[in-house]
Amino acid sequence: VCSSDLPSPSGELGRLLNADLAMTDVAPIASEWAIVDDENNPPNLVLEEQDAPIQLRSRVDRADEVLLPRDLLEKARKDGVLPEGVTRLVLLRDLKSVVGPDPKNIGERHLRGLYDEVQLAAYALAWEAARPSDRVVGVGISEVGSSTVHHIEVDDAWKPYLEGLSIGEVSSHLKMTHPACFADGKPTSPFRRWLEERRSTMARAVKAAREGQVNPTPSSACRHCGVKDACPVADLGGGA
């Protein structure tokens, strides 16, 4: 049977498959994967210098290796962009179902993933802790609905090397909101500064939880919460 005789994929799954096939410069290396080290242990992360490490358990929807030509990889190493010991460039994606979306709302869920949540940053921090020979150079939300768009926020330091590669819909939001330096003034990229900021947000959340300062947010998710029977506001989200 010739490939031209086969029916084209259709529906939401078909559109997702076509969007996947369009990314010709990445190779999937993990799907629905618990981020663990070579001994199958979740990585330990230090969120603040003065704090003890915490074990971060997470499961990423999709991880891709960037198929960067070897000459560009070596150039990045000579330019000081590729850290010593790193042999693989990784993109991490979280798939989200969206309604529509309306054309004017395309990319909205991706923005929320970058600025309203810590999930994408947590994946990146956990991945690099578990896989020290990998460098996360981009994260993003894949919006799956009436169309599928694999949004990816790429580390600005890597833009010159990834230019022209088919890796998804590349965005450049973080350079408009995060300076190219760490809090102590040491130069870095906006992407790395964003990771530092998200790490601090995670540290504050952990500290608040340990001190019992947990503020529940009632929603439909209350129905599936493991502590809904002990929560005084679970019924507001339909969890009673």
Side-chain angles (χ1 to χ4, degrees):
V1 179
C2 297
S3 58
S4 58
D5 296 329
L6 297 175
S8 298
S10 60
E12 187 173 293
L13 185 59
R15 291 188 290 271
L16 174 61
L17 177 59
N18 285 330
D20 288 354
L21 294 175
M23 296 190 296
T24 55
D25 294 306
V26 299
I29 53 178
S31 179
E32 286 290 334
W33 189 71
I35 300 177
V36 294
D37 60 21
D38 288 335
E39 297 180 353
N40 212 37
N41 296 316
N44 291 314
L45 243 62
V46 176
L47 297 179
E48 296 284 4
E49 288 186 7
Q50 69 275 15
D51 294 340
I54 66 164
Q55 192 175 69
L56 184 58
R57 297 178 182 273
S58 56
R59 182 179 293 272
V60 66
D61 283 344
R62 173 170 172 163
D64 291 334
E65 178 181 0
V66 179
L67 302 178
L68 193 68
R70 184 168 295 278
D71 61 325
L72 283 179
L73 200 61
E74 289 307 312
K75 184 179 186 306
R77 195 181 301 281
K78 291 177 181 177
D79 292 344
V81 177
L82 186 67
E84 197 65 38
V86 171
T87 59
R88 186 168 64 173
L89 306 181
V90 174
L91 303 173
L92 300 177
R93 309 179 195 271
D94 190 47
L95 275 64
K96 298 292 187 186
S97 294
V98 295
V99 176
D102 185 295
K104 67 177 182 294
N105 295 328
I106 292 176
E108 183 180 282
R109 189 63 187 85
H110 175 58
L111 276 172
R112 286 168 51 198
L114 292 174
Y115 292 108
D116 294 349
E117 303 164 356
V118 298
Q119 187 175 14
L120 291 174
Y123 289 158
L125 294 168
W127 189 283
E128 291 187 344
R131 305 282 164 179
S133 62
D134 288 352
R135 183 74 163 181
V136 176
V137 296
V139 297
I141 298 292
S142 294
E143 297 179 344
V144 182
S146 57
S147 62
T148 291
V149 181
H150 290 298
H151 298 281
I152 194 75
E153 180 77 16
V154 171
D155 189 334
D156 256 27
W158 283 94
K159 286 277 180 68
Y161 308 94
L162 305 184
E163 188 175 0
L165 297 186
S166 179
I167 60 176
E169 188 69 25
V170 175
S171 62
S172 301
H173 301 299
L174 297 178
K175 70 178 182 181
M176 296 185 288
T177 56
H178 290 72
C181 64
F182 287 118
D184 62 4
K186 182 180 177 182
T188 189
S189 66
F191 181 84
R192 290 284 146 181
R193 176 61 184 267
W194 169 77
L195 281 179
E196 180 191 54
E197 181 264 324
R198 296 282 85 186
R199 184 194 292 263
S200 295
T201 299
M202 292 166 61
R204 292 195 299 272
V206 169
K207 181 176 184 293
R210 285 173 172 167
E211 294 175 351
Q213 302 174 25
V214 179
N215 300 311
T217 305
S219 72
S220 58
C222 293
R223 293 194 298 270
H224 312 290
C225 181
V227 295
K228 63 183 179 182
D229 293 338
C231 180
V233 299
D235 58 324
L236 298 178

Coordinates of all heavy atoms in Angstrom, one line a residue, residues 127-215:
W127 N 14.5 18.1 35.8 CA 15.2 17.4 34.7 C 16.7 17.6 34.8 O 17.5 16.6 34.7 CB 14.7 17.9 33.3 CG 15.2 17.0 32.2 CD1 16.4 17.0 31.6 CD2 14.5 16.0 31.5 NE1 16.5 16.1 30.7 CE2 15.3 15.4 30.6 CE3 13.2 15.4 31.7 CZ2 15.0 14.4 29.7 CZ3 12.8 14.4 30.8 CH2 13.7 13.9 29.9
E128 N 17.2 18.8 35.0 CA 18.6 19.1 35.0 C 19.2 18.5 36.3 O 20.4 18.1 36.2 CB 18.9 20.6 34.9 CG 18.5 21.1 33.6 CD 19.0 22.6 33.4 OE1 19.2 23.3 34.4 OE2 19.0 23.0 32.2
A129 N 18.5 18.4 37.4 CA 19.0 17.8 38.6 C 19.2 16.3 38.4 O 20.1 15.7 38.9 CB 18.1 18.1 39.8
A130 N 18.2 15.7 37.7 CA 18.2 14.2 37.5 C 19.1 13.8 36.3 O 19.7 12.7 36.3 CB 16.8 13.7 37.2
R131 N 19.3 14.7 35.4 CA 20.1 14.4 34.2 C 21.1 15.6 34.0 O 21.0 16.4 33.1 CB 19.2 14.4 32.9 CG 18.0 13.4 33.1 CD 18.5 12.0 32.9 NE 17.5 11.0 33.3 CZ 17.7 9.7 33.2 NH1 18.8 9.2 32.7 NH2 16.8 8.8 33.7
P132 N 22.2 15.6 34.7 CA 23.2 16.7 34.7 C 23.9 16.8 33.4 O 24.5 17.9 33.1 CB 24.1 16.3 35.8 CG 23.9 14.9 36.1 CD 22.5 14.6 35.8
S133 N 23.8 15.8 32.5 CA 24.5 16.0 31.2 C 23.5 16.5 30.2 O 23.9 16.7 29.0 CB 25.0 14.6 30.7 OG 23.9 13.7 30.5
D134 N 22.3 16.9 30.6 CA 21.3 17.6 29.7 C 21.2 19.0 30.1 O 21.4 19.4 31.2 CB 19.9 16.9 29.9 CG 19.9 15.6 29.2 OD1 20.8 15.2 28.5 OD2 18.8 14.9 29.4
R135 N 20.9 19.9 29.1 CA 20.6 21.3 29.3 C 19.3 21.6 28.7 O 19.0 21.4 27.6 CB 21.7 22.1 28.6 CG 21.5 23.6 28.8 CD 21.9 24.0 30.2 NE 22.2 25.5 30.3 CZ 22.6 26.1 31.4 NH1 22.8 25.3 32.5 NH2 22.8 27.4 31.5
V136 N 18.4 22.1 29.6 CA 17.0 22.5 29.2 C 17.1 23.8 28.5 O 17.5 24.8 29.2 CB 16.0 22.5 30.3 CG1 14.7 23.0 29.8 CG2 15.9 21.1 30.9
V137 N 16.8 23.9 27.2 CA 16.9 25.2 26.5 C 15.6 25.8 26.1 O 15.5 26.8 25.4 CB 17.8 25.0 25.2 CG1 19.2 24.6 25.6 CG2 17.2 24.0 24.3
G138 N 14.5 25.1 26.5 CA 13.2 25.7 26.2 C 12.1 24.9 26.9 O 12.2 23.7 27.1
V139 N 11.0 25.5 27.3 CA 9.8 24.9 27.8 C 8.6 25.5 27.2 O 8.6 26.7 26.7 CB 9.8 25.1 29.4 CG1 10.9 24.4 30.1 CG2 9.7 26.6 29.8
G140 N 7.5 24.8 27.2 CA 6.3 25.4 26.7 C 5.0 24.6 26.9 O 5.1 23.4 27.2
I141 N 3.9 25.2 26.6 CA 2.6 24.6 26.6 C 2.2 24.2 25.2 O 2.3 25.1 24.3 CB 1.5 25.5 27.2 CG1 1.9 25.8 28.7 CG2 0.2 24.8 27.1 CD1 1.8 24.7 29.6
S142 N 1.8 23.0 25.0 CA 1.3 22.6 23.7 C -0.3 22.7 23.8 O -0.9 21.9 24.6 CB 1.7 21.1 23.3 OG 3.1 21.0 23.1
E143 N -0.8 23.6 23.1 CA -2.3 23.8 23.2 C -3.0 22.9 22.2 O -2.7 23.0 20.9 CB -2.6 25.3 22.8 CG -2.1 26.3 23.9 CD -2.4 27.7 23.5 OE1 -2.8 28.0 22.4 OE2 -2.3 28.5 24.4
V144 N -3.8 22.0 22.7 CA -4.4 21.0 21.8 C -6.0 21.2 21.8 O -6.6 21.1 22.9 CB -4.2 19.5 22.4 CG1 -4.8 18.5 21.4 CG2 -2.7 19.3 22.5
G145 N -6.5 21.6 20.7 CA -7.9 21.9 20.6 C -8.3 21.7 19.1 O -8.0 20.7 18.5
S146 N -9.0 22.8 18.6 CA -9.4 22.7 17.2 C -8.2 22.8 16.3 O -8.2 22.4 15.1 CB -10.4 23.9 16.8 OG -9.8 25.1 17.1
S147 N -7.1 23.2 16.8 CA -5.8 23.1 16.2 C -4.8 22.8 17.3 O -5.1 22.9 18.5 CB -5.4 24.5 15.5 OG -5.3 25.5 16.5
T148 N -3.6 22.3 16.9 CA -2.5 22.1 17.9 C -1.3 22.9 17.6 O -0.9 23.0 16.5 CB -2.1 20.6 17.8 OG1 -3.2 19.7 18.3 CG2 -0.9 20.4 18.7
V149 N -0.9 23.7 18.6 CA 0.3 24.5 18.5 C 1.2 24.2 19.6 O 0.9 24.3 20.8 CB -0.1 26.0 18.6 CG1 1.1 26.9 18.5 CG2 -1.2 26.4 17.6
H150 N 2.4 23.8 19.2 CA 3.5 23.4 20.2 C 4.3 24.7 20.5 O 5.3 25.0 19.9 CB 4.4 22.4 19.7 CG 3.8 21.0 19.5 ND1 3.3 20.3 20.7 CD2 3.5 20.2 18.5 CE1 2.8 19.1 20.3 NE2 2.9 19.0 19.0
H151 N 3.8 25.5 21.5 CA 4.5 26.7 21.9 C 5.8 26.3 22.6 O 5.8 25.3 23.4 CB 3.6 27.6 22.8 CG 2.4 28.1 22.1 ND1 2.4 29.1 21.2 CD2 1.1 27.6 22.2 CE1 1.1 29.3 20.8 NE2 0.3 28.4 21.4
I152 N 6.8 27.0 22.4 CA 8.1 26.8 23.1 C 8.8 28.1 23.4 O 9.1 28.9 22.5 CB 9.0 25.8 22.3 CG1 10.1 25.2 23.2 CG2 9.5 26.4 21.1 CD1 9.6 24.2 24.2
E153 N 9.0 28.4 24.6 CA 9.8 29.6 25.0 C 11.3 29.1 25.1 O 11.7 28.3 26.0 CB 9.4 30.1 26.4 CG 10.1 31.3 26.9 CD 9.7 32.6 26.2 OE1 8.6 32.6 25.6 OE2 10.5 33.6 26.4
V154 N 12.1 29.6 24.2 CA 13.5 29.2 24.1 C 14.4 30.2 24.8 O 14.2 31.4 24.8 CB 13.9 29.1 22.6 CG1 15.4 28.9 22.4 CG2 13.1 28.0 21.9
D155 N 15.4 29.6 25.5 CA 16.4 30.4 26.2 C 17.1 31.3 25.2 O 17.6 30.9 24.1 CB 17.4 29.4 26.8 CG 18.4 30.1 27.7 OD1 18.7 31.3 27.5 OD2 19.0 29.4 28.6
D156 N 17.0 32.6 25.4 CA 17.6 33.6 24.5 C 19.1 33.3 24.2 O 19.5 33.6 23.1 CB 17.5 35.0 25.1 CG 16.4 35.8 24.4 OD1 15.4 35.1 23.9 OD2 16.4 37.0 24.4
A157 N 19.8 32.7 25.1 CA 21.2 32.4 24.9 C 21.4 31.5 23.7 O 22.4 31.4 23.1 CB 21.9 31.9 26.1
W158 N 20.3 30.7 23.5 CA 20.4 29.6 22.5 C 19.7 30.0 21.2 O 19.8 29.3 20.2 CB 19.8 28.3 23.0 CG 20.7 27.6 23.9 CD1 20.8 27.7 25.3 CD2 21.8 26.8 23.6 NE1 21.8 27.0 25.8 CE2 22.5 26.4 24.8 CE3 22.3 26.3 22.4 CZ2 23.6 25.5 24.8 CZ3 23.4 25.4 22.4 CH2 24.0 25.1 23.6
K159 N 19.1 31.2 21.1 CA 18.4 31.6 19.9 C 19.3 31.6 18.6 O 18.8 31.1 17.6 CB 17.8 33.0 20.1 CG 16.6 33.0 21.0 CD 15.3 32.7 20.2 CE 14.1 32.7 21.2 NZ 13.8 34.1 21.6
P160 N 20.5 32.1 18.7 CA 21.3 32.1 17.5 C 21.6 30.7 16.9 O 21.8 30.6 15.7 CB 22.6 32.8 17.9 CG 22.2 33.6 19.1 CD 21.2 32.8 19.8
Y161 N 21.7 29.7 17.8 CA 22.0 28.4 17.4 C 20.8 27.6 16.9 O 21.0 26.6 16.1 CB 22.7 27.6 18.6 CG 23.9 28.4 19.1 CD1 23.7 29.3 20.2 CD2 25.2 28.4 18.6 CE1 24.7 30.0 20.8 CE2 26.2 29.1 19.1 CZ 26.0 29.9 20.2 OH 27.0 30.7 20.7
L162 N 19.6 28.0 17.4 CA 18.4 27.2 17.1 C 17.6 27.9 16.0 O 16.6 27.4 15.5 CB 17.5 27.1 18.3 CG 18.2 26.4 19.6 CD1 17.1 26.3 20.7 CD2 18.8 25.1 19.2
E163 N 18.1 29.0 15.5 CA 17.4 29.8 14.5 C 17.2 28.9 13.2 O 18.1 28.3 12.7 CB 18.2 31.1 14.1 CG 17.4 32.0 13.2 CD 18.1 33.3 13.0 OE1 19.2 33.5 13.5 OE2 17.6 34.2 12.3
G164 N 15.9 28.9 12.7 CA 15.6 28.2 11.5 C 15.3 26.7 11.7 O 14.8 26.1 10.8
L165 N 15.4 26.2 13.0 CA 15.1 24.9 13.2 C 13.6 24.7 13.5 O 12.9 25.6 14.0 CB 15.8 24.3 14.5 CG 17.3 24.3 14.4 CD1 17.9 23.6 15.6 CD2 17.8 23.5 13.1
S166 N 13.0 23.6 13.0 CA 11.6 23.4 13.2 C 11.4 22.6 14.6 O 11.5 21.4 14.7 CB 11.0 22.5 12.1 OG 9.7 22.2 12.3
I167 N 11.1 23.4 15.6 CA 11.0 22.9 17.0 C 9.7 23.3 17.6 O 9.5 23.0 18.8 CB 12.2 23.4 17.9 CG1 12.2 24.9 18.0 CG2 13.5 22.8 17.3 CD1 13.2 25.5 18.9
G168 N 8.8 23.9 16.9 CA 7.5 24.4 17.5 C 7.4 25.9 17.2 O 8.2 26.5 16.6
E169 N 6.3 26.5 17.8 CA 6.1 27.9 17.7 C 6.9 28.6 18.8 O 6.5 28.7 20.0 CB 4.6 28.2 17.9 CG 4.2 29.6 17.6 CD 4.2 30.0 16.2 OE1 4.2 29.1 15.3 OE2 4.4 31.2 15.9
V170 N 8.0 29.2 18.4 CA 9.0 29.8 19.3 C 8.4 31.2 19.8 O 8.0 32.0 19.0 CB 10.3 30.0 18.7 CG1 11.3 30.7 19.6 CG2 10.9 28.6 18.3
S171 N 8.5 31.4 21.1 CA 8.1 32.6 21.7 C 9.3 33.3 22.4 O 10.3 32.6 22.7 CB 6.9 32.4 22.7 OG 7.3 31.6 23.8
S172 N 9.1 34.6 22.7 CA 10.2 35.3 23.3 C 9.6 36.3 24.3 O 9.9 37.5 24.3 CB 11.0 36.1 22.3 OG 11.6 35.3 21.3
H173 N 8.9 35.8 25.3 CA 8.2 36.6 26.3 C 9.2 37.0 27.4 O 9.1 38.1 27.9 CB 7.0 35.9 26.9 CG 6.0 35.5 25.9 ND1 5.3 36.4 25.1 CD2 5.5 34.3 25.5 CE1 4.5 35.8 24.3 NE2 4.6 34.5 24.5
L174 N 10.0 36.1 27.9 CA 10.8 36.3 29.1 C 11.8 37.4 29.0 O 12.0 38.1 30.0 CB 11.5 35.0 29.5 CG 10.5 33.8 29.8 CD1 11.3 32.6 30.2 CD2 9.6 34.2 31.0
K175 N 12.3 37.7 27.8 CA 13.3 38.8 27.7 C 12.6 40.2 27.9 O 13.3 41.1 28.2 CB 13.9 38.7 26.3 CG 13.1 39.1 25.2 CD 13.9 39.1 23.9 CE 13.0 39.5 22.7 NZ 13.8 39.5 21.4
M176 N 11.3 40.2 27.9 CA 10.6 41.5 28.1 C 10.2 41.7 29.6 O 9.8 42.8 30.0 CB 9.3 41.5 27.3 CG 9.5 41.5 25.8 SD 8.0 41.7 24.8 CE 7.3 40.1 25.0
T177 N 10.4 40.6 30.4 CA 10.0 40.7 31.8 C 11.1 40.3 32.8 O 10.9 40.6 34.0 CB 8.8 39.8 32.0 OG1 9.1 38.4 31.6 CG2 7.5 40.2 31.2
H178 N 12.1 39.7 32.3 CA 13.2 39.3 33.2 C 14.5 39.8 32.7 O 14.9 39.6 31.5 CB 13.2 37.7 33.3 CG 12.0 37.2 34.0 ND1 10.8 37.2 33.5 CD2 11.9 36.6 35.3 CE1 9.9 36.6 34.4 NE2 10.6 36.3 35.5
P179 N 15.3 40.4 33.6 CA 16.6 40.9 33.2 C 17.6 39.8 32.9 O 17.5 38.6 33.3 CB 17.1 41.7 34.4 CG 16.4 41.1 35.5 CD 15.1 40.6 35.0
A180 N 18.7 40.1 32.1 CA 19.7 39.2 31.8 C 20.8 39.1 32.8 O 22.0 39.2 32.6 CB 20.3 39.5 30.4
C181 N 20.3 38.9 34.1 CA 21.3 38.8 35.2 C 20.5 38.1 36.4 O 19.3 38.2 36.5 CB 21.9 40.1 35.6 SG 20.7 41.3 36.3
F182 N 21.3 37.4 37.2 CA 20.7 36.9 38.4 C 20.4 38.0 39.4 O 20.9 39.1 39.2 CB 21.6 35.8 39.0 CG 21.6 34.5 38.2 CD1 22.8 34.1 37.7 CD2 20.5 33.8 38.1 CE1 22.8 32.9 36.9 CE2 20.5 32.6 37.3 CZ 21.7 32.1 36.8
A183 N 19.8 37.7 40.5 CA 19.5 38.7 41.6 C 20.8 39.3 42.1 O 20.7 40.4 42.6 CB 18.6 38.0 42.7
D184 N 21.9 38.5 42.1 CA 23.1 39.0 42.6 C 23.9 39.9 41.6 O 25.0 40.3 41.9 CB 24.0 37.9 43.2 CG 24.4 36.9 42.1 OD1 24.1 37.1 40.9 OD2 25.0 35.9 42.5
G185 N 23.3 40.0 40.4 CA 24.0 40.8 39.4 C 24.8 40.0 38.4 O 25.3 40.5 37.4
K186 N 25.0 38.7 38.7 CA 25.8 37.9 37.7 C 25.1 37.7 36.4 O 23.9 37.4 36.4 CB 26.0 36.5 38.4 CG 26.9 35.6 37.6 CD 27.1 34.2 38.2 CE 27.9 33.3 37.4 NZ 28.0 32.0 38.1
P187 N 25.8 37.9 35.3 CA 25.1 37.8 34.0 C 24.5 36.4 33.7 O 25.1 35.4 34.1 CB 26.2 38.2 33.0 CG 27.2 38.9 33.8 CD 27.2 38.3 35.2
T188 N 23.4 36.4 33.1 CA 22.8 35.2 32.7 C 21.8 35.5 31.6 O 21.7 36.6 31.1 CB 22.1 34.4 33.9 OG1 21.7 33.1 33.4 CG2 20.9 35.2 34.4
S189 N 20.9 34.6 31.2 CA 19.9 34.8 30.2 C 18.6 35.1 30.9 O 18.4 34.7 32.1 CB 19.7 33.7 29.3 OG 19.2 32.5 30.0
P190 N 17.6 35.8 30.3 CA 16.3 36.0 30.9 C 15.6 34.6 31.3 O 14.9 34.5 32.3 CB 15.5 36.7 29.8 CG 16.5 37.5 29.1 CD 17.7 36.6 29.1
F191 N 15.9 33.6 30.5 CA 15.3 32.3 30.8 C 15.8 31.7 32.1 O 15.0 31.2 32.9 CB 15.6 31.3 29.6 CG 15.1 29.9 29.8 CD1 13.8 29.6 29.4 CD2 15.8 28.9 30.3 CE1 13.2 28.4 29.5 CE2 15.3 27.6 30.4 CZ 14.0 27.3 30.0
R192 N 17.1 31.9 32.3 CA 17.7 31.4 33.5 C 17.3 32.2 34.7 O 17.1 31.7 35.8 CB 19.2 31.3 33.4 CG 19.7 30.2 32.5 CD 19.7 28.9 33.1 NE 19.4 27.8 32.1 CZ 19.2 26.5 32.4 NH1 19.4 26.1 33.7 NH2 18.9 25.6 31.5
R193 N 17.1 33.5 34.5 CA 16.6 34.4 35.6 C 15.2 34.0 36.0 O 14.8 34.0 37.1 CB 16.7 35.8 35.2 CG 16.1 36.8 36.2 CD 16.8 36.8 37.6 NE 16.2 37.6 38.5 CZ 16.5 38.9 38.8 NH1 17.5 39.4 38.1 NH2 15.9 39.6 39.7
W194 N 14.4 33.6 34.9 CA 13.0 33.2 35.2 C 13.0 31.9 36.0 O 12.2 31.8 37.0 CB 12.3 33.0 33.8 CG 11.0 32.3 33.9 CD1 9.8 32.8 34.3 CD2 10.7 30.9 33.6 NE1 8.8 31.8 34.2 CE2 9.4 30.7 33.8 CE3 11.5 29.9 33.1 CZ2 8.7 29.4 33.5 CZ3 10.9 28.6 32.9 CH2 9.6 28.4 33.1
L195 N 13.9 31.0 35.7 CA 14.0 29.7 36.5 C 14.4 30.0 37.9 O 13.8 29.4 38.8 CB 15.1 28.8 35.9 CG 14.7 28.0 34.6 CD1 15.9 27.1 34.2 CD2 13.5 27.1 34.9
E196 N 15.3 31.0 38.1 CA 15.6 31.4 39.5 C 14.4 32.0 40.2 O 14.2 31.6 41.4 CB 16.8 32.4 39.5 CG 17.2 32.8 40.9 CD 18.1 34.0 40.8 OE1 17.8 35.1 40.2 OE2 19.2 34.0 41.4
E197 N 13.7 32.8 39.5 CA 12.5 33.4 40.2 C 11.4 32.4 40.5 O 10.8 32.4 41.6 CB 11.9 34.5 39.2 CG 10.7 35.2 39.7 CD 9.4 34.6 39.3 OE1 9.4 34.2 38.1 OE2 8.5 34.6 40.0
R198 N 11.2 31.4 39.6 CA 10.3 30.4 39.8 C 10.7 29.5 41.0 O 9.9 28.9 41.7 CB 10.0 29.5 38.6 CG 9.4 30.3 37.4 CD 7.9 30.5 37.5 NE 7.6 31.7 38.3 CZ 6.4 32.0 38.6 NH1 5.3 31.2 38.3 NH2 6.1 33.1 39.3
R199 N 12.0 29.2 41.1 CA 12.6 28.4 42.2 C 12.3 29.1 43.5 O 11.9 28.4 44.5 CB 14.1 28.3 42.0 CG 14.7 27.4 43.1 CD 16.2 27.5 43.0 NE 16.9 27.0 41.8 CZ 17.4 25.8 41.7 NH1 17.4 25.0 42.8 NH2 17.9 25.4 40.6
S200 N 12.4 30.4 43.6 CA 12.1 31.2 44.8 C 10.6 31.1 45.1 O 10.2 31.0 46.3 CB 12.5 32.6 44.6 OG 13.9 32.7 44.5
T201 N 9.8 31.1 44.1 CA 8.3 31.0 44.3 C 8.0 29.6 44.9 O 7.2 29.5 45.8 CB 7.6 31.2 43.0 OG1 7.8 32.5 42.5 CG2 6.1 31.0 43.2
M202 N 8.7 28.6 44.4 CA 8.5 27.2 44.9 C 8.9 27.2 46.3 O 8.2 26.5 47.2 CB 9.2 26.2 44.0 CG 8.7 26.1 42.6 SD 9.8 25.2 41.5 CE 10.0 23.6 42.3
A203 N 10.0 27.8 46.7 CA 10.5 27.8 48.0 C 9.5 28.4 49.0 O 9.3 27.9 50.1 CB 11.9 28.5 48.1
R204 N 8.9 29.5 48.6 CA 8.0 30.2 49.4 C 6.7 29.3 49.7 O 6.2 29.3 50.8 CB 7.6 31.6 48.9 CG 8.7 32.6 48.9 CD 8.2 34.0 48.6 NE 7.5 34.1 47.3 CZ 8.1 34.4 46.2 NH1 9.4 34.6 46.2 NH2 7.5 34.5 45.0
A205 N 6.3 28.6 48.6 CA 5.2 27.8 48.7 C 5.4 26.6 49.7 O 4.6 26.2 50.5 CB 4.8 27.2 47.3
V206 N 6.6 26.0 49.6 CA 7.0 24.9 50.5 C 7.1 25.4 51.9 O 6.6 24.7 52.8 CB 8.4 24.3 50.0 CG1 8.9 23.4 51.1 CG2 8.2 23.6 48.7
K207 N 7.7 26.6 52.1 CA 7.8 27.1 53.5 C 6.4 27.4 54.1 O 6.1 27.0 55.2 CB 8.6 28.4 53.4 CG 8.8 29.1 54.8 CD 9.7 30.3 54.6 CE 10.0 31.0 56.0 NZ 8.8 31.6 56.6
A208 N 5.5 28.0 53.3 CA 4.1 28.2 53.7 C 3.4 27.0 54.1 O 2.7 26.9 55.1 CB 3.4 29.0 52.7
A209 N 3.6 25.9 53.2 CA 2.9 24.7 53.5 C 3.4 24.0 54.8 O 2.6 23.5 55.6 CB 3.1 23.7 52.3
R210 N 4.7 24.1 55.0 CA 5.3 23.5 56.2 C 4.8 24.3 57.5 O 4.8 23.7 58.6 CB 6.8 23.6 56.1 CG 7.4 22.5 55.2 CD 8.9 22.7 55.0 NE 9.5 21.5 54.3 CZ 10.7 21.5 53.8 NH1 11.5 22.6 53.9 NH2 11.1 20.5 53.1
E211 N 4.5 25.5 57.3 CA 4.0 26.3 58.5 C 2.5 26.3 58.6 O 1.9 26.9 59.4 CB 4.5 27.8 58.3 CG 6.0 27.9 58.4 CD 6.4 29.4 58.1 OE1 5.6 30.2 57.6 OE2 7.6 29.7 58.3
G212 N 1.9 25.5 57.7 CA 0.4 25.3 57.8 C -0.3 26.4 57.2 O -1.6 26.5 57.3
Q213 N 0.3 27.3 56.4 CA -0.3 28.4 55.7 C -0.8 27.9 54.3 O -0.2 28.4 53.3 CB 0.6 29.6 55.6 CG 1.1 30.1 57.0 CD 2.1 31.2 56.8 OE1 2.2 31.9 55.8 NE2 3.0 31.3 57.8
V214 N -1.7 27.1 54.3 CA -2.2 26.5 53.0 C -3.6 27.2 52.7 O -4.5 27.0 53.5 CB -2.3 25.0 53.0 CG1 -2.9 24.5 51.7 CG2 -1.0 24.4 53.3
N215 N -3.7 27.9 51.6 CA -4.9 28.6 51.3 C -5.6 27.8 50.1 O -5.1 27.9 49.0 CB -4.6 30.0 50.8 CG -4.0 30.9 52.0 OD1 -4.5 30.8 53.1 ND2 -2.9 31.6 51.6

